[in-house]
Amino acid sequence: MLKLEARPEASRRMRWLSPLLAVALTLLGGVALFAALGQNPLQGLRVFFLQPVNDLYGVSELLLKATPLMLIGVGLAVGFRAGVWNIGAEGQFICGAVFATGIALQVGDQSAPWAIPAMVVAGAIGGALWAAIPAWLRTRFGTNEILVSLMLVYVAQLLASWLIYGPWKDPDGYNFPQTRNFGDSALLPLLIEGTRLHAGFVLALVVLLAGYVFLQRSFQGFQMQVGGQAPDAARYAGFSANRAIWFGLLGGGALAGVAGMTEVAGPMGQLTSQISAGYGFAAIIVAFVGRLHPVGILGASLLMALFFLGGEQAQQHMNLPSSISKVFQGMLLFFLLASDLFIAYRLRWERTAWKGLPWIAR
């Protein structure tokens, strides 16, 4: 019989093979899903995974969707490595978009070379301020940052709704819940003509590189990892747990806010009721599939972006709801958690002696 046996120590090889196994199982789950929906499984996989990137525009859309996931994923990885569980990046993303929109609306149509840098800073401040709430409550009163950061997502959504339905509503927008279109000075420059890919993608790559240096090569990053993996050792070494909490939450919030800025200053060009696209929640899966490593986060962001695009293609060409992308996200997370079991355990075949059946003995 098969039996789970604890490993003498965690398997480093399985730690990196686990995400690959989860992806493979997700593909198999996709085959079963399309078959259950009465669709040709091979056709479904082709539409979902290959059709979105069959030309230059499709590849540019993949990189565009991956941009906010990379930014948020790196910020979350910093906190997760320190044992700081920021689950409210979606709210910080929205607040960053709101703060950046405030700058863009002030600039209007005038020429302002400083607008984009100011919007990046404003987005980072907005996200960091929203993340500061659970950080202060955690360090001051010992509250659970998971619950507080998650609940604040809905507050951020209501704040954005109040602004776009109220003081920031476009008077010429035919009563749609949206702000005025941003002026040219408040829009990120395009990288490839004829596509929507903008300079935010380059910013995300720079952040990935900075995240790698911080997590793998800096003393502060080492402190945070020790604090997350061995809290007692961190306290003995004099590392501040409260400082790790503040840094983890504010860093993650700031990068989520910058991601929100790239969304409103990029493909949207305004703040609308559709700003909450689920990037903050999807980036949690990205961070864990990427093993909290910047290189892994890059690959996981591209995969998750493909899920978003695949859902849109399945809706257009297979008459399936676009929410099927969330089903794939859920399967990936489920299979990742299942595969991670084998980091600390392994399957062992154990032979048992045949004792016969009770009714034979009688």
Side-chain angles (χ1 to χ4, degrees), residues 18 21 33 45 67 74 87 93 99 112 116 118 131 135 140 143 147 187 217-218 226-227 234 266 307 353 362:
S18 174
L21 177 60
L33 176 63
L45 291 179
T67 295
V74 172
I87 308 299
F93 173 90
F99 274 57
I116 290 297
R140 182 68 177 83
T143 58
L147 295 177
L187 295 175
R217 295 290 184 266
S218 73
V226 172
F307 285 175
R362 290 196 297 270

Side-chain angles (χ1 to χ4, degrees), residues 3-357:
K3 181 181 178 181
L4 273 178
E5 179 183 69
R7 297 180 185 270
E9 61 181 19
S11 170
R12 288 181 58 88
R13 181 174 63 179
M14 194 61 206
R15 176 176 171 79
W16 292 103
L17 286 177
S18 174
L20 300 178
L21 177 60
V23 172
L25 291 173
T26 300
L27 291 175
L28 292 177
V31 169
L33 176 63
F34 286 123
L37 293 173
Q39 303 286 343
N40 183 326
L42 295 180
Q43 172 71 5
L45 291 179
R46 187 186 70 80
V47 170
F48 199 90
F49 289 103
L50 299 180
Q51 192 163 302
V53 291
N54 61 0
D55 56 19
L56 177 61
Y57 185 83
V59 173
S60 70
E61 286 292 298
L62 179 73
L63 300 179
L64 178 69
K65 292 282 188 183
T67 295
L69 294 171
M70 286 189 281
L71 290 167
I72 303 172
V74 172
L76 292 180
V78 172
F80 290 165
R81 284 207 177 192
V84 180
W85 304 105
N86 179 10
I87 308 299
E90 183 78 359
Q92 295 142 28
F93 173 90
I94 295 171
C95 284
V98 167
F99 274 57
T101 298
I103 298 293
L105 294 179
Q106 289 296 319
V107 171
D109 293 326
Q110 61 181 314
S111 177
W114 50 267
I116 290 297
M119 290 172 67
V120 172
V121 173
I125 291 174
L129 286 176
W130 209 245
I133 299 173
W136 180 73
L137 291 174
R138 165 73 186 274
T139 56
R140 182 68 177 83
F141 300 105
T143 58
N144 189 308
E145 75 274 15
I146 296 175
L147 295 177
V148 175
S149 61
L150 179 60
M151 292 299 101
L152 284 173
V153 171
Y154 305 102
V155 181
Q157 290 173 343
L158 291 172
L159 172 63
S161 294
W162 173 71
L163 289 170
I164 60 180
Y165 280 96
W168 285 358
K169 188 175 183 179
D170 183 4
D172 302 320
Y174 301 100
N175 211 33
F176 285 102
Q178 61 190 29
T179 65
R180 291 181 180 274
N181 290 317
F182 294 175
D184 291 342
S185 296
L187 295 175
L188 289 164
L190 296 177
L191 295 180
I192 304 175
E193 288 298 328
T195 71
R196 302 192 302 163
L197 185 63
H198 53 69
F201 175 68
V202 177
L203 176 62
L205 293 179
V206 172
V207 169
L208 280 174
L209 178 60
Y212 174 82
V213 172
F214 176 80
L215 290 172
Q216 306 296 325
R217 295 290 184 266
S218 73
F219 181 66
Q220 178 69 31
F222 171 74
Q223 283 184 326
M224 297 192 70
Q225 291 185 60
V226 172
Q229 297 174 8
D232 293 337
R235 283 191 292 270
Y236 181 79
F239 299 163
S240 172
N242 284 350
R243 184 169 60 187
I245 292 170
W246 277 100
F247 193 93
L249 280 167
L250 264 63
L255 287 179
V258 172
M261 174 269 165
T262 63
E263 192 69 6
V264 293
M268 299 184 71
Q270 59 184 167
L271 181 65
T272 74
S273 59
Q274 304 301 316
I275 183 60
S276 180
Y279 289 125
F281 295 122
I284 298 173
I285 304 176
V286 165
F288 282 109
V289 171
R291 304 281 80 168
L292 307 183
H293 191 286
V295 176
I297 288 171
L298 172 61
S301 297
L302 294 172
L303 176 63
M304 194 63 63
L306 187 57
F307 285 175
F308 279 107
L309 295 178
E312 296 172 359
Q313 291 290 319
Q315 182 182 32
Q316 294 175 16
H317 299 282
M318 303 178 70
N319 294 321
L320 296 177
S322 62
S323 57
I324 192 174
S325 64
K326 290 184 170 56
V327 177
F328 273 87
Q329 292 176 26
M331 285 197 297
L332 179 62
L333 179 59
F334 174 81
F335 287 128
L336 178 69
L337 294 175
S339 301
D340 278 354
L341 174 69
F342 298 102
I343 297 175
Y345 295 87
R346 60 188 172 192
L347 285 175
R348 179 182 176 187
W349 178 259
E350 185 177 87
R351 292 189 176 185
T352 56
W354 176 255
K355 298 180 180 179
L357 296 175

